[in-house]
Amino acid sequence: KIEAVEGLKSAFVWSIATDLQNRVFVGTGDPGVVYLIKDGSEAVELFKSPELYIQSLATDTSGNLYAGTAPRGIIYKINNHGEASVFCSLPVPYIWDMSFDNNSNLFAATGNEGILFKISPDGMPSVFFDTPETNLLDVLHDRYDNMYLGTEPNGLVYKVTPSGQAQVLYDARE
């Protein structure tokens, strides 16, 4: 069954995430707004960012929502009460995707320099993996805290271990 979702007033939908309560959040662009989908059919504004785009969303085990933005590379933390604060600011324009490891560290796949940042639970970022790629578009953790990264422009899929060792698993001909 397909139903229309009413209330989205942004030009683009960049990201979607769910939390442990199965609530659905939508990150949009121009303007950069996070919406909460209520009852599967109505989007209500949860957070309006001063940024143009909410390009990535992730939730932690405490129910907080994190919104990665462009063009200034700011990550906002939105608590269970809908209160937002700057979690950290990265020296990149794009935060394409985010994922948590088993120790509550947030990893941000970014562009235009292809850097994977590790952000501690208190919001302190560090470079975890620097690739020759322009953009890291996707990051996903497995249950052993290995990460899988999708890249642009060469269409590589990296596997990165928790210790930071990387290997290319796939190199797309395209």
Side-chain angles (χ1 to χ4, degrees), residues 58 75 95 97-102 104-110 116-119 126 128-129 139 141 145 147 149 160-162:
I75 299 174
I95 301 171
D97 198 14
M98 298 182 295
S99 180
F100 281 94
D101 71 5
N102 292 326
S104 300
N105 295 299
L106 179 63
F107 287 80
T110 68
L116 179 68
F117 287 92
K118 178 181 181 179
I119 306 157
S126 62
F128 187 76
F129 179 55
V139 58
H141 276 86
D145 273 342
M147 286 167 280
L149 306 170
V160 183
T161 66

Side-chain angles (χ1 to χ4, degrees), residues 15-135:
S15 54
I16 298 174
T18 60
D19 65 7
L20 295 175
Q21 298 172 353
N22 289 319
R23 295 182 301 172
V24 177
F25 302 95
V26 178
T28 67
D30 208 5
V33 176
V34 175
Y35 292 93
L36 170 63
I37 306 295
K38 290 204 165 238
D39 303 321
S41 61
E42 180 187 2
V44 295
E45 186 175 298
L46 180 66
F47 167 64
K48 185 169 185 173
S49 167
E51 305 302 312
L52 287 178
Y53 306 109
I54 304 291
Q55 289 186 299
S56 57
L57 295 171
T59 57
D60 66 16
T61 56
S62 299
N64 297 301
L65 177 68
Y66 296 78
T69 68
R72 294 191 305 149
I74 297 171
I75 299 174
Y76 291 91
K77 180 179 180 179
I78 306 162
N79 68 19
N80 292 324
H81 305 291
E83 301 162 339
S85 60
V86 173
F87 179 63
C88 79
S89 185
L90 300 176
V92 295
Y94 303 104
I95 301 171
W96 292 114
D97 198 14
M98 298 182 295
S99 180
F100 281 94
D101 71 5
N102 292 326
N103 295 314
S104 300
N105 295 299
L106 179 63
F107 287 80
T110 68
N112 281 340
E113 297 178 21
I115 298 172
L116 179 68
F117 287 92
K118 178 181 181 179
I119 306 157
S120 66
D122 60 354
M124 298 303 297
S126 62
V127 173
F128 187 76
F129 179 55
D130 191 351
T131 73
E133 295 292 289
T134 303
N135 291 292

